Amino acid sequence: MFDCIVIGGGPAGLASALTLGRALKKTLVIDNNNARNKVTRKSHAFLTQDGVTPEELRAKAEHDVDQYKDVSRINDTVVKLIKENDHFIVETKQQKYTTKKVMICTGLRETLPDIKGLKESYGKSIFYCPWCDGYELKNKSLLISVQPEQVKHMALLLSNWSEDIVISSKDFSVLTAEDKAFMDKKKIKLIESEVTEFKHSDGNINEVVFENGERIPRSGALIGVKWDTDFEFLNGLNIEREENGKIKIEQFGETSVPGLFVAGESKDTMASQLIDAAANGNQIAKFVAMQIIMESN
């Protein structure tokens, strides 16, 4: 019987395991080495680790966690999670485990738009997060391809890093006269057509092709990406969710299923930076450890 099983060995999961290990709680981290940020060349904005690759950051985090004898890690995939009385049964492809608490730190399931050339360029010259990669795109000719409701926000944000911006979307009817005035002021061109192809050389884009036949030269892009937490292993639990699909949680990450917690990107329907995920994992793990301590006395 584990005190806690952490599902996911990214920044949130490993930060959680580190905190639980320091609290002397018997912890198991289950991860299948299928991180969403594998396409990223360098990770940024993580204090003391700015510019390291995701693999380097992960290796350092695993080294930290492995110093604590109460924490163990395995490479496996969780296929089923059920609750029986006051404990959980976690079933993987290889084995079954029992635990008092479970922390979901799997991050998000990501779905990219179906655009030719996108997969080859994603993480190299095409990104989704200005805070993560805006600095690397500074002063470049940028294409922003997002849903209509995101146009205004992305126009305002990306104008911080570049003065050469083109925004494409299927519809601009949601833009107000004030919004359009801002676009004009910033000399942002609007193309009411969706992207069909990113022309590139080894992942570095050089031209964007649109559904209406228009073509423009660009050296970088930011796109809208879909994320969810509809993981199949959660189907055995009746977890309450928000209207947008986000898992409902209390202040300290506990779901509607007592003893089941969510931390890191998994708590949202939008991706976050690694430092945010790690910090949240640490925060939630402290509450998990406190709950275990209280229940054992």
Side-chain angles (χ1 to χ4, degrees):
M1 173 73 74
F2 286 94
D3 288 314
C4 184
I5 287 182
V6 178
I7 304 176
L14 292 171
S16 299
L18 182 61
T19 298
L20 290 165
R22 290 181 57 78
L24 308 178
K25 299 307 162 208
K26 188 178 180 183
T27 304
L28 174 65
V29 180
I30 304 175
D31 184 79
N32 62 5
N33 195 30
N34 189 30
R36 189 175 59 80
N37 67 357
K38 274 188 173 182
V39 300
T40 304
R41 288 176 171 176
K42 292 183 179 181
S43 300
H44 293 285
F46 202 125
L47 199 61
T48 77
Q49 303 298 318
D50 188 62
V52 302
T53 67
E55 290 80 9
E56 289 174 316
L57 184 63
R58 184 188 185 96
K60 290 179 180 180
E62 289 175 344
H63 176 268
D64 289 345
V65 168
D66 291 344
Q67 306 308 303
Y68 294 86
K69 65 180 181 62
D70 289 305
V71 182
S72 53
R73 298 185 295 108
I74 61 168
N75 190 328
D76 204 346
T77 299
V78 175
V79 296
K80 192 174 183 180
L81 174 62
I82 60 174
K83 187 171 186 183
E84 287 191 356
N85 301 318
D86 61 348
H87 68 275
F88 294 87
I89 296 176
V90 181
E91 182 178 344
T92 70
K93 288 183 176 180
Q94 300 176 15
Q95 198 171 338
K96 288 184 180 180
Y97 304 90
T98 56
T99 181
K100 298 173 185 176
K101 311 290 179 184
V102 172
M103 290 188 67
I104 301 171
C105 301
T106 48
L108 300 168
R109 188 173 64 171
E110 183 173 82
T111 304
L112 297 176
D114 185 17
I115 302 173
K116 187 176 180 181
L118 173 56
K119 287 184 178 180
E120 296 85 349
S121 307
Y122 192 52
K124 295 179 179 178
S125 59
I126 302 177
F127 308 92
Y128 67 83
C129 173
W131 297 111
C132 303
D133 301 289
Y135 184 86
E136 282 64 44
L137 294 174
K138 66 181 184 297
N139 302 323
K140 290 188 176 183
S141 58
L142 301 182
L143 180 281
I144 303 173
S145 176
V146 291
Q147 293 299 308
E149 62 273 14
Q150 297 175 312
V151 169
K152 179 182 178 181
H153 172 72
M154 292 297 283
L156 177 62
L157 191 54
L158 265 298
S159 63
N160 178 70
W161 284 280
S162 174
E163 295 181 351
D164 186 357
I165 296 174
V166 174
I167 300 180
S168 78
S169 188
K170 60 185 177 183
D171 180 17
F172 291 118
S173 62
V174 296
L175 296 181
T176 65
E178 184 180 356
D179 296 336
K180 292 178 180 178
F182 173 80
M183 308 288 179
D184 289 340
K185 176 184 175 183
K186 294 293 184 178
K187 298 180 181 179
I188 297 173
K189 180 181 178 181
L190 301 179
I191 297 180
E192 196 165 346
S193 182
E194 296 186 285
V195 178
T196 58
E197 182 178 1
F198 288 105
K199 298 284 189 180
H200 66 93
S201 175
D202 193 28
N204 296 305
I205 68 168
N206 47 59
E207 188 179 41
V208 182
V209 182
F210 297 90
E211 195 173 33
N212 64 5
E214 192 168 353
R215 308 165 77 103
I216 60 169
R218 296 284 93 178
S219 57
L222 285 105
I223 60 168
V225 176
K226 291 182 180 179
W227 298 290
D228 66 64
T229 53
D230 299 329
F231 301 111
E232 290 185 7
F233 72 84
L234 294 176
N235 291 344
L237 297 169
N238 188 24
I239 302 175
E240 291 184 21
R241 292 178 179 266
E242 308 283 355
E243 287 186 10
N244 65 356
K246 175 184 175 181
I247 298 173
K248 280 188 176 182
I249 56 174
E250 300 298 330
Q251 180 182 0
F252 293 105
E254 192 166 19
T255 70
S256 59
V257 179
L260 179 66
F261 294 79
V262 179
E265 286 188 333
S266 303
K267 69 181 174 59
D268 296 311
T269 54
M270 181 173 290
S272 63
Q273 290 183 287
L274 301 185
I275 193 168
D276 299 321
N280 186 249
N282 169 263
Q283 178 188 34
I284 302 304
K286 285 185 285 189
F287 185 79
V288 174
M290 189 65 199
Q291 195 176 88
I292 296 169
I293 293 168
M294 293 175 66
E295 291 173 356
S296 63
N297 287 291

